[in-house]
Amino acid sequence: MVAKAVRSALIAALVIDLAVLAYLLLWPRAPRWTEGEIATLRSLWLGSLPPLPPDPSNRVADDPRAVALGHKLFFDARLSGNGQVSCATCHQPERLFQDGLPLGQGIGTMTRRTMTLVGVAYSPWFFWDGRKDSLWAQALGPLEDPLEHGGNRAQYAHLVARHYRAEYEALFGPLPDLSDRARFPASAGPVADPAARAAWEGMRPEDREAVTRVFVNIGKAIAAYERRLMPGPSRFDAYVQALLAGDAKGMRSALTPDEIAGLRLFIGKAECTHCHNGPLFTNNDFHNTGVPAAAGLPMDIGRAAGAPQVLADEFNCLGPYSDAGPDACADLRFLKASGKELVGAFKPPTLRNVAERAPYMHAGQFATLREVLEHYNRAAPGPVGQTELLPLNLSRRELAQLEAFLRSLSGPLNTPPELLRPP
């Protein structure tokens, strides 16, 4: 009986060994990459993301107290004309800080899609057209936009004085005395609302300046919070880490053969890295890719409108509310503000977690990743300007492999959990 049991155990072990051998022989070998390809993969790896660059225009950008205040302001719906819209209304943490809608929805319906805020602090330009050059300036735009928050800067200054005085003054110094409503109306600002605009124009210049300083500091605190919104590693990153370590088993467990084939297309034949390069899979520049116009919306010329706007913006890096010296504003000082290549050009968003961020393009023109890839594959001309695309002529299988790779870019957020929910 013992011999029979031993024989059975040996046979079972042999079967297992043969199964493992067959598995190793039949599983595709780890693909070979050239030195140039490995360098490209390393450049896309999240492990190559450099430390977050400082923002000289915002002296509290990395102050933990500003992060805490900005966290509260980000989720505060009182920062709106109707008391129902916060930054988190469109930039929803559970949706990777966007909203899943073709067009943003605040007090009204906007003309563009909500961009994710994950990793956005690495960008020198903000919004689809780059009309702002800092996170704090970006935060201020929606607060006064009639379709977004729809409020005004005097309203927000009074809100801070009532509810955030101690936290604000610990960062920025004493608040102005806003108690005299003849000097500081409850609602006033350079906005579309006629009553608020008239009240603003009736204020003394020094009082308008005092209110604007509070308004600016609201943006700087929100920006400090948004700088903490970072992506975490995906299966693609695990693959590259294993590749760099010479870990063939780790490579096989990270990506499927189709995903690896899609990765080869991404860095090669499909030319995706022309726009989507670096660890955040965006070059933060502006490109015309022939995206069709969105039905029912006015013609959108993208960067051709955004570049002049950022130069004229009172809140830009060279403006009086920036904490930066002129030497720290090179991006703005050397900005190309005109040219046919700017017409219809938009900023390519990060591709990290792209599979969870449908619909796509600046006005949600494409509902699925496959539609996006089909567009790039045929390179149809767009409504304005000159598209940069040439037809890729990828096969159905190649498109499927490319889509499979893009789905491997999904990963968790590398942000403290307490910052992903209202305080």
Side-chain angles (χ1 to χ4, degrees), residues 61 119 121 159 200 228 252 267 277 310 341 355 418:
L159 176 71
W200 182 254
R228 301 292 298 276
R252 287 194 297 268
I267 68 171
N277 53 48
V310 72
E341 69 273 21
E418 63 272 16

Side-chain angles (χ1 to χ4, degrees), residues 153-162 165 175-186 203 207 210-212 214:
R153 58 190 70 176
Q155 168 198 344
Y156 300 143
H158 284 293
L159 176 71
V160 168
R162 286 193 304 270
R165 178 179 293 274
L175 274 162
D177 182 358
L178 306 176
S179 59
D180 185 346
R181 292 304 176 94
R183 290 178 55 196
F184 299 100
M203 293 172 65
D207 291 342
V211 166
T212 298
V214 178

Side-chain angles (χ1 to χ4, degrees), residues 41-195:
L41 295 180
R42 182 191 293 271
S43 74
L44 296 170
W45 176 46
L46 195 59
S48 293
L49 188 67
L52 186 62
D55 179 1
S57 72
N58 181 3
R59 66 178 180 81
V60 302
D62 297 306
D63 189 319
R65 298 171 301 170
V67 174
L69 176 57
H71 181 202
K72 293 178 180 179
L73 294 169
F74 187 89
F75 286 92
D76 193 337
R78 293 172 298 188
L79 283 169
S80 64
N82 63 2
Q84 297 179 29
V85 178
S86 70
C87 301
T89 298
C90 291
H91 298 288
Q92 301 168 20
E94 66 274 18
R95 293 181 179 270
L96 298 161
F97 289 89
Q98 50 93 58
D99 55 15
L101 300 173
L103 300 174
Q105 184 69 47
I107 283 182
T109 301
M110 298 157 224
T111 59
R112 288 183 182 152
R113 171 121 169 73
T114 300
M115 300 188 85
T116 180
L117 294 178
V118 179
V120 71
Y122 280 89
S123 178
W125 309 110
F126 302 88
F127 294 110
W128 288 97
D129 57 8
R131 65 184 183 272
K132 296 288 187 177
D133 66 344
S134 69
L135 259 182
W136 63 268
Q138 181 278 325
L140 298 179
L143 291 175
E144 292 190 308
D145 190 298
L147 297 178
E148 299 189 55
H149 292 246
N152 58 73
R153 58 190 70 176
Q155 168 198 344
Y156 300 143
H158 284 293
L159 176 71
V160 168
R162 286 193 304 270
H163 299 287
Y164 296 108
R165 178 179 293 274
E167 293 147 292
Y168 178 96
E169 292 185 337
L171 280 165
F172 302 111
L175 274 162
D177 182 358
L178 306 176
S179 59
D180 185 346
R181 292 304 176 94
R183 290 178 55 196
F184 299 100
S187 178
V191 294
D193 176 66

